């Protein structure tokens, strides 16, 4: 993605969250009342037209079965983990590649004693702040914007300069991020997190399997995802086998690694009217 442009993928994710929020309250896997404010062009049209949105979602599901549902499950999975971390005394939340993530504004648990650092390209943050200025009465004091391109050197120093305290228990979120970064950048990023966090801190993220980056993956949905990412101008660059993840992370200072396939979350989140909804076999959470 060009560092001086907004992200089409960020708007796509906001669009999927907005669509989930349109479901009857009892059927929603997650809820993001802010997402609709970031929709422009075709997404804004779909959001306002039930017929158009239904057709679009149907086509999207045909191209990559379960992927849209997995976006909702991913959001809920991470939200639940944030709540657990706050109960355990975490004081800082660092959202890397924050895009149009609005947890800092929609989650009450984050508004009492937790400092939220949002890290992303300056262009995306400028667009996000422009939208939030219209939606919120005023920007909350517990949110710190850190304009930064993760591929560049000096991330740790930049975070510290913005007020991050590496002696406080912290949670790092990388939602829909590491698959867009080169392997060496992914490894360096995890190493930076482990060396700029106190014991007991944590990181949560999602990842895709090998082959997603070059299209060699033996899965129709995966091949379509590979093409979709290229078309968006934000190609995938990193994939890793779930069984190899613990070793990969142990080499950069992590322990207590737990990796689960997104499909394993079905019974937890897809109940009642949601039982027939599919989840992509491609995604995993850790």
């Amino acid at each position: 993605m060009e560092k001086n442009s907004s992200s089409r993928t960020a708007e796509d994710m906001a669009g999927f969250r907005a669509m989930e929020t349109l479901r009857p309250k009892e059927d929603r896997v997650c809820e993001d009342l802010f997402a609709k404010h970031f929709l422009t062009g075709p997404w804004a049209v779909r959001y306002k037209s039930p017929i158009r949105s239904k057709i679009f979602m149907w086509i999207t599901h045909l191209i990559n079965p379960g992927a849209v549902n997995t976006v909702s499950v991913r959001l809920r999975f991470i939200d639940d983990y944030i709540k657990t971390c706050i109960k355990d005394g975490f004081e800082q939340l660092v959202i890397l590649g924050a895009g149009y993530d609005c947890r800092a504004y929609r989650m009450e648990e984050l508004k009492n004693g937790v400092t939220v650092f949002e890290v992303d390209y300056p262009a995306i943050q400028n667009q996000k702040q422009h939208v939030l200025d219209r939606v919120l009465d005023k920007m909350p004091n517990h949110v710190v914007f850190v304009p930064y391109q993760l591929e560049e050197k000096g991330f740790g120093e930049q975070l510290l300069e913005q007020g991050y305290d590496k002696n406080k228990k912290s949670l790092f979120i990388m939602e829909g991020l590491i698959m867009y970064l080169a392997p060496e950048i992914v490894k360096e990023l995890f190493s930076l997190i482990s060396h700029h966090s106190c014991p007991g801190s944590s990181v949560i993220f999602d990842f895709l399997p090998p082959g997603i980056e070059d299209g060699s993956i033996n899965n129709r949905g995966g091949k379509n995802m590979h093409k979709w990412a290229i078309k968006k101008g934000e190609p995938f660059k990193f994939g890793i086998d779930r069984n190899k993840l613990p070793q990969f992370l142990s080499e950069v200072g992590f322990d207590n690694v737990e990796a689960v396939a997104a499909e394993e979350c079905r019974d937890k989140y897809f109940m009642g009217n949601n039982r027939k909804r599919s989840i992509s076999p491609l995604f995993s959470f850790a």
Side-chain angles (χ1 to χ4, degrees):
M1 170 191 130
E2 296 297 328
K3 62 181 178 180
N4 293 320
S5 66
S6 59
S7 169
R8 295 175 65 185
T9 302
E11 184 172 358
D12 285 341
M13 296 304 106
F16 295 141
R17 296 196 300 271
M19 293 302 181
E20 182 71 28
T21 305
L22 283 176
R23 288 177 175 270
K25 196 169 183 67
E26 63 273 15
D27 294 339
R28 296 173 195 166
V29 174
C30 63
E31 182 177 84
D32 185 349
L33 298 175
F34 288 88
K36 63 183 179 182
H37 298 292
F38 294 94
L39 306 183
T40 62
W43 265 116
V45 174
R46 292 177 199 128
Y47 182 79
K48 296 174 182 177
S49 170
I51 294 178
R52 286 177 181 268
S53 63
K54 189 173 183 178
I55 293 173
F56 173 77
M57 299 297 265
W58 177 74
I59 293 173
T60 302
H61 179 73
L62 284 180
I63 295 172
N64 193 354
V68 174
N69 294 333
T70 308
V71 169
S72 298
V73 169
R74 178 177 69 185
L75 187 84
R76 176 69 177 275
F77 185 88
I78 295 175
D79 281 0
D80 287 349
Y81 190 64
I82 290 173
K83 294 173 185 177
T84 297
C85 288
I86 292 174
K87 288 179 182 177
D88 288 343
F90 281 59
E91 298 178 80
Q92 295 179 139
L93 175 66
V94 183
I95 307 175
L96 302 177
Y100 298 145
D101 184 311
C102 286
R103 289 184 169 93
Y105 319 101
R106 63 176 176 79
M107 291 185 71
E108 292 299 323
E109 293 86 353
L110 293 174
K111 298 177 182 178
N112 238 339
V114 179
T115 304
V116 180
F117 297 89
E118 296 195 11
V119 183
D120 214 327
Y121 290 94
I124 295 177
Q125 293 197 330
N126 289 339
Q127 175 62 20
K128 184 174 187 176
Q129 290 183 71
H130 176 72
V131 171
L132 291 174
D133 284 341
R134 290 191 285 106
V135 176
L136 300 172
D137 292 331
K138 66 175 183 177
M139 289 295 291
N141 295 326
H142 70 288
V143 180
V144 179
F145 283 92
V146 184
Y148 196 76
Q149 186 175 355
L150 291 171
E151 294 87 348
E152 294 179 353
K153 301 288 185 181
F155 165 65
E157 291 74 11
Q158 179 74 5
L159 198 55
L160 290 169
E161 287 176 8
Q162 295 294 328
Y164 171 80
D165 187 343
K166 62 181 180 180
N167 296 311
K168 290 183 178 180
K169 216 170 179 182
S170 305
L171 170 63
F172 288 76
I173 294 176
M174 295 190 287
E175 181 178 10
L177 175 65
I178 68 170
M179 57 282 291
Y180 295 103
L181 302 175
E184 62 273 16
I185 300 297
V186 173
K187 196 159 192 174
E188 183 177 340
L189 197 53
F190 277 116
S191 181
L192 280 167
I193 291 172
S194 69
H195 289 93
H196 285 78
S197 309
C198 69
S201 293
S202 187
V203 59
I204 187 168
F205 59 97
D206 61 307
F207 61 98
L208 293 169
I212 196 72
E213 70 280 9
D214 60 9
S216 64
I217 187 169
N218 188 25
N219 177 283
R220 181 176 63 86
K223 290 183 181 298
N224 288 335
M225 275 186 70
H226 168 78
K227 294 174 183 177
W228 169 83
I230 292 175
K231 185 177 180 180
K232 293 289 181 181
E234 300 173 43
F236 296 130
K237 299 177 182 178
F238 179 80
I240 188 169
D241 187 284
R242 189 162 61 245
N243 295 322
K244 295 181 179 179
L245 186 70
Q247 177 63 33
F248 175 82
L249 291 177
S250 69
E251 293 173 0
V252 287
F254 286 90
D255 55 20
N256 272 344
V257 178
E258 180 182 356
V260 299
E263 290 177 300
E264 294 179 44
C265 300
R266 163 180 294 285
D267 291 341
K268 184 176 182 180
Y269 296 124
F270 284 171
M271 297 175 284
N273 295 331
N274 285 325
R275 286 202 178 276
K276 293 183 179 180
R277 294 175 66 180
S278 61
I279 296 180
S280 171
L282 299 170
F283 286 83
S284 295
F285 309 140

